[in-house]
Amino acid sequence: MTVSVQEAIQFLKDKNVVAVPSETVFGLAASIFYPDAIKKIFEIKGRPPKNPLIVHFASVEQALEYVDIAPAFVPNLQKFWPGPLTVVAPLKKEIDPLITANLPTLAVRVPNHPVFLELIRAVGPLAAPSANRSGFPSATRKWHVDFDYNGMVPVVEGMEPDHGLESTILIQKEGYFLIGRLGATPIENLNDFFKIVENTQDFMAPQCPGQMYRHYAPTCKLTTVLSDEIEAIVGFCDVNYPVDKPLYSVGSIHHPAQVAHHLFETLRLLDHDRIKLAYVDTNFPSAGLYLTIHERLSRAIQETYHQNRELYV
Ligand code: TXA
Ligand code: MG
């Protein structure tokens, strides 16, 4: 169900949840002032209550009312907001504890999407996780939201997400930042502006509660083994594959932004077409946006879950 911006504003004021396009992925938004509406987000998504939400603001100043960002980094934040960067910082204002999962910190971001910003200006800050059902690939097209919720969740009209990957999350510590989640802003772009301490060599090690859960996976089983058993190939339009199966193209290997834009759409098309086993080509450089793409695919490949079962519950 598609609704206009004006209708969405009314829905939000009536303590309802709406799906909103952002520049990264669709969000499932509710006003932070209505605990009943926040509760609905968790219910609709099937999200564990221990997994906190990002709160979206219309400006840096508005975000700073809620969190303590070290003053030295505030001007740098202005360079990235609005945009696909989330910062986790100490909470300094009372907020519904369901949003923070009772943590003393809050994840904040200013999205770069005219519709999202218009809703925030009309209703106030909006809490919004990615709009997918918990565990599945994020929704990057309107039909993904309709598919996940059988058309029961209203989707606000507006430009569909451009990036196709979620925001990068930095966690503020004493004078430095940890990487909470790789995302649409490559770490290389952030290094000059935030003192980022690489927490670990292993980017699969969870820093954000949400990173502990099974994630980004279609129902279709994904494998990195190219065999005759596979029914489809998730790969690049400009790479030749030695097995003759339908190609679900994510775009050109030379255009990581294009690949990111198509990634979740492609994984979801496998389920749409009832493909049961697909090969995924993960032979690309692990740098820049491709580092994020690599991380998302690693989590989506079911074999990985079986090897690390205790992490993905
Ligand atoms: O691009 C995005 O970030 C999208 C759009 C809608 O803004 N949102 C999104 O939200 O991806 P979600 O809920 O799917 O992912 C948020 C991540 C989760 O892994 C969650 O655990 C983490 O942020 N998070 C939220 N609050 C946190 C906190 N206080 N401390 C550590 N991690 C936190
Ligand atoms: Mg998510």
Side-chain angles (χ1 to χ4, degrees):
M1 188 202 352
T2 307
V3 297
S4 69
V5 174
Q6 284 315 313
E7 287 169 320
I9 289 170
Q10 200 51 53
F11 269 113
L12 290 166
K13 286 183 175 168
D14 290 342
K15 308 183 183 175
N16 285 311
V17 170
V18 293
V20 188
S22 86
E23 81 281 31
T24 58
V25 300
F26 274 91
L28 198 61
S31 162
I32 64 165
F33 302 128
Y34 302 135
D36 286 350
I38 299 296
K39 216 168 130 209
K40 278 186 202 163
I41 293 181
F42 285 84
E43 285 166 6
I44 293 172
K45 256 186 83 93
R47 185 178 179 101
K50 278 190 184 153
N51 192 0
L53 306 179
I54 297 173
V55 176
H56 300 73
F57 297 91
S59 67
V60 179
E61 294 70 33
Q62 194 184 25
L64 293 178
E65 289 172 25
Y66 283 82
V67 286
D68 268 322
I69 305 271
F73 294 106
V74 171
N76 295 349
L77 208 48
Q78 311 256 16
K79 296 190 207 304
F80 291 90
W81 280 352
L85 174 67
T86 294
V87 177
V88 173
L91 185 64
K92 68 174 185 194
K93 195 168 173 173
E94 205 173 314
I95 197 167
D96 175 8
L98 202 52
I99 294 174
T100 56
N102 269 316
L103 293 171
T105 54
L106 180 70
V108 297
R109 126 174 161 86
V110 179
N112 189 15
H113 194 292
V115 167
F116 213 140
L117 291 171
E118 198 178 335
L119 296 182
I120 299 168
R121 287 192 193 108
V123 182
L126 296 175
S130 53
N132 53 290
R133 272 191 300 133
S134 208
F136 286 86
S138 292
T140 54
R141 309 282 188 271
K142 183 186 170 293
W143 78 262
H144 301 169
V145 183
D146 287 338
F147 181 87
D148 278 9
Y149 304 109
N150 285 322
M152 302 298 280
V153 171
V155 186
V156 193
E157 65 188 3
M159 211 170 40
E160 289 184 329
D162 180 24
H163 291 281
L165 293 172
E166 306 79 359
S167 61
T168 301
I169 302 181
L170 293 183
I171 303 178
Q172 183 180 262
K173 297 288 175 184
E174 299 287 319
Y176 67 97
F177 293 83
L178 292 178
I179 302 166
R181 174 177 75 184
L182 298 171
T185 303
I187 297 300
E188 289 92 331
N189 298 8
L190 295 165
N191 270 331
D192 287 346
F193 303 97
F194 299 93
K195 194 175 165 226
I196 299 173
V197 176
E198 299 267 342
N199 25 310
T200 166
Q201 293 300 84
D202 177 11
F203 60 70
M204 298 288 285
Q207 289 296 323
C208 292
Q211 297 298 89
M212 295 195 303
Y213 301 105
R214 179 178 182 271
H215 233 127
Y216 313 117
T219 306
C220 172
K221 188 168 191 236
L222 304 176
T223 174
T224 51
V225 180
L226 196 51
S227 75
D228 280 338
E229 283 167 42
I230 59 155
E231 296 162 46
I233 294 170
V234 175
F236 304 98
C237 60
D238 42 8
V239 170
N240 284 323
Y241 298 98
V243 172
D244 188 23
K245 299 287 175 180
L247 175 68
Y248 283 68
S249 173
V250 288
S252 165
I253 193 161
H254 303 296
H255 291 100
Q258 186 186 56
V259 173
H261 182 78
H262 291 297
L263 186 69
F264 291 140
E265 162 84 345
T266 309
L267 296 184
R268 281 171 171 270
L269 281 174
L270 296 170
D271 283 354
H272 177 268
D273 295 347
R274 301 198 195 315
I275 304 281
K276 294 281 170 282
L277 179 66
Y279 165 77
V280 186
D281 183 358
T282 53
N283 300 304
F284 46 79
S286 261
L289 220 41
Y290 265 135
L291 191 63
T292 306
I293 294 167
H294 196 73
E295 188 263 359
R296 298 297 190 270
L297 282 176
S298 305
R299 287 185 194 277
I301 294 168
Q302 318 248 325
E303 288 154 342
T304 318
Y305 297 136
H306 297 306
Q307 283 160 17
N308 300 291
R309 198 173 302 196
E310 72 283 5
L311 278 183
Y312 304 103
V313 287

